[in-house]
Amino acid sequence: MTDETKHDIMRATYDALCRHGYANLTMQDIADESGKSKASLHYHYDSKHDLLAAFLDYLFEWFTERMETALADVDDPVDRLVVVIETALAPPDDEETPHSEFQTALLEIKAQAPYDDAFRARLVEFDHFLRDRIHAVIQDGIERGTFREDVDPGDAAEFIVSATTGARTRHVAVEHRIDRTRRSLETYIGTWLLADDAEAVRLG
Amino acid sequence: MTDETKHDIMRATYDALCRHGYANLTMQDIADESGKSKASLHYHYDSKHDLLAAFLDYLFEWFTERMETALADVDDPVDRLVVVIETALAPPDDEETPHSEFQTALLEIKAQAPYDDAFRARLVEFDHFLRDRIHAVIQDGIERGTFREDVDPGDAAEFIVSATTGARTRHVAVEHRIDRTRRSLETYIGTWLLADDAEAVRLG
């Protein structure tokens, strides 16, 4: 399969998930979005499950590349932490409003994880990548004197991942405004993490 | 319907959700757990959806009563905040290990919320009850000099609700250990909120 074919199928999967959700999604729905036949999708992927597992791999690759690109020219530890959190909170398509439909489909997939080893393994990759990235940024910030010495980077990283994950769950389930959690995270970084807590932190 | 009948049906619904999850749940599954006939369930509830909406109401009532009971004899603001967070994090059955199956079913229901007004309205009740309780406890703690004056109780409450919600999502999706988030919350309360940050906070 060419990169372009793969990209087209993945984009169609994304669009189909937004339109139909996870539970009711069929290969035909994905075929309809892609302009390809169902048979040609089955040529590349044995089942809907295989395709969705490949989609999660693709999403992970996209997410990590996006993170590395966003971090590439950023040196200050506070700015780096803000970039990581923004990337974790922001919708995949960079639009101003969060892409609620996709977040909903992703939450459906998360609720399947206990029954599905392939999905769970991929979600663990996302979770640990984010946690480890945050851990590294905070560790570096402590060493450079930007963050307080008594901060435990492991605890802080788990906390931030839980808060960003929870903000996204609440956005889907109770229409929570992501901005509310964003503002709390600013305060958290400014008050808890910063060695000099006079400095204000702005996210977004 | 007597209170006892209602309690039996609600308990059966809880057990059936744990055993079958939300997506595949049938009225027959609930009937099987209750020892009643499917017809007698339909006598009280028109549909599975009605029964599940009533179940969420029951769960909310149970949750709020549990919270008020736990708070009844607790005066110190730090202890009160710990009680609220513990109640939000702890499994419904008070066993030592979190009741993963039920958490999974609840996450499935959360992912349905955008498509289901009745579910969403009930989930909003849970979310806002928890947020408002935390807000009130922190506000009281600030007025009594236990918590720092410069803490914004609204921001802090949103943050704590996001963190506890996220810990539960991660528990389902990636087998996150709730204890990790619990420990971060201790540090958070001890470092960010407490007016005298020498005092240690212990949750659990």
Side-chain angles (χ1 to χ4, degrees):
Chain A
M1 172 166 40
T2 65
D3 281 356
E4 198 187 329
T5 302
K6 187 173 179 185
H7 175 81
D8 288 350
I9 297 176
M10 293 300 138
R11 179 73 219 186
T13 306
Y14 177 87
D15 291 337
L17 278 169
C18 290
R19 194 184 300 267
H20 304 281
Y22 162 79
N24 300 317
L25 189 72
T26 64
M27 283 295 255
Q28 188 60 55
D29 294 330
I30 300 170
D32 289 346
E33 295 289 341
S34 72
K36 296 182 201 308
S37 71
K38 206 172 119 181
S40 76
L41 290 188
H42 276 295
Y43 177 79
H44 299 298
Y45 302 98
D46 280 346
S47 63
K48 185 182 82 170
H49 183 264
D50 280 1
L51 201 165
L52 286 174
F55 174 73
L56 289 177
D57 286 335
Y58 193 79
L59 200 64
F60 180 70
E61 205 179 311
W62 172 87
F63 181 70
T64 54
E65 276 175 17
R66 187 157 169 265
M67 184 77 86
E68 301 314 331
T69 305
L71 282 172
D73 298 319
V74 182
D75 181 61
D76 178 67
V78 172
D79 293 341
R80 288 177 69 80
L81 187 54
V82 166
V83 163
V84 176
I85 291 172
E86 276 303 320
T87 310
L89 285 176
D93 50 5
D94 273 331
E95 277 168 21
E96 211 171 279
T97 53
H99 207 313
S100 305
E101 291 81 4
F102 184 67
Q103 293 301 325
T104 302
L106 207 50
L107 193 61
E108 287 184 87
I109 291 174
K110 286 180 184 176
Q112 289 305 309
Y115 313 118
D116 191 312
D117 293 343
F119 288 177
R120 189 173 62 254
R122 285 158 175 88
L123 293 170
V124 166
E125 262 192 332
F126 270 96
D127 188 273
H128 289 189
F129 169 78
L130 185 58
R131 183 196 67 188
D132 294 345
R133 263 266 155 259
I134 295 172
H135 188 292
V137 167
I138 295 177
Q139 181 75 54
D140 173 60
I142 294 170
E143 281 161 18
R144 289 163 67 177
T146 309
F147 295 135
R148 294 163 57 146
E149 276 182 1
D150 61 351
V151 167
D152 179 319
D155 277 359
E158 291 285 358
F159 197 37
I160 292 172
V161 175
S162 286
T164 54
T165 305
R168 292 168 65 165
T169 300
R170 294 174 74 205
H171 177 70
V172 172
V174 301
E175 298 181 328
H176 172 70
R177 291 185 50 236
I178 299 272
D179 274 353
R180 290 289 286 149
T181 295
R182 181 178 279 126
R183 208 165 74 194
S184 313
L185 277 163
E186 285 171 8
T187 314
Y188 171 74
I189 299 172
T191 316
W192 189 20
L193 300 185
L194 270 196
D196 171 2
D197 68 3
E199 192 175 331
V201 176
R202 281 282 145 230
L203 288 172
Chain B
M1 167 166 44
T2 65
D3 281 356
E4 199 186 329
T5 302
K6 187 173 180 184
H7 174 82
D8 289 348
I9 296 176
M10 293 300 139
R11 179 74 218 186
T13 305
Y14 177 87
D15 291 337
L17 278 169
C18 290
R19 193 185 300 268
H20 304 282
Y22 163 79
N24 301 316
L25 190 70
T26 64
M27 284 294 253
Q28 188 59 56
D29 294 330
I30 299 169
D32 290 346
E33 295 290 339
S34 73
K36 296 182 200 307
S37 70
K38 207 174 116 182
S40 77
L41 289 188
H42 275 294
Y43 177 78
H44 298 298
Y45 302 98
D46 280 345
S47 64
K48 185 182 82 170
H49 183 264
D50 281 2
L51 201 164
L52 285 175
F55 174 73
L56 289 177
D57 285 335
Y58 193 79
L59 199 65
F60 180 69
E61 205 178 310
W62 172 88
F63 181 71
T64 53
E65 277 176 16
R66 188 157 169 263
M67 184 77 86
E68 302 314 333
T69 306
L71 282 172
D73 299 320
V74 183
D75 180 62
D76 178 68
V78 172
D79 293 341
R80 289 177 69 82
L81 187 55
V82 166
V83 163
V84 176
I85 291 172
E86 275 303 318
T87 310
L89 284 176
D93 50 6
D94 273 332
E95 278 167 21
E96 212 171 277
T97 53
H99 208 310
S100 305
E101 291 81 5
F102 184 67
Q103 293 301 325
T104 302
L106 207 51
L107 193 61
E108 288 182 88
I109 291 172
K110 286 180 185 177
Q112 290 305 309
Y115 313 118
D116 191 312
D117 293 343
F119 288 176
R120 189 173 61 252
R122 285 157 174 90
L123 293 170
V124 166
E125 262 192 331
F126 271 95
D127 188 273
H128 289 189
F129 170 78
L130 185 59
R131 183 196 65 186
D132 295 345
R133 263 264 155 259
I134 295 172
H135 188 294
V137 167
I138 294 177
Q139 181 76 54
D140 174 59
I142 294 169
E143 281 160 17
R144 291 164 66 179
T146 310
F147 295 136
R148 295 164 57 146
E149 275 182 2
D150 61 351
V151 167
D152 178 320
D155 277 359
E158 291 285 357
F159 197 37
I160 292 172
V161 175
S162 285
T164 55
T165 304
R168 292 167 67 164
T169 300
R170 295 174 72 206
H171 178 69
V172 172
V174 301
E175 298 181 328
H176 171 69
R177 292 186 47 238
I178 299 272
D179 274 352
R180 291 290 286 148
T181 295
R182 181 179 278 126
R183 209 165 73 196
S184 313
L185 278 163
E186 285 171 9
T187 313
Y188 171 73
I189 298 171
T191 316
W192 188 18
L193 300 184
L194 269 195
D196 171 3
D197 69 4
E199 192 177 329
V201 177
R202 283 281 144 229
L203 288 173

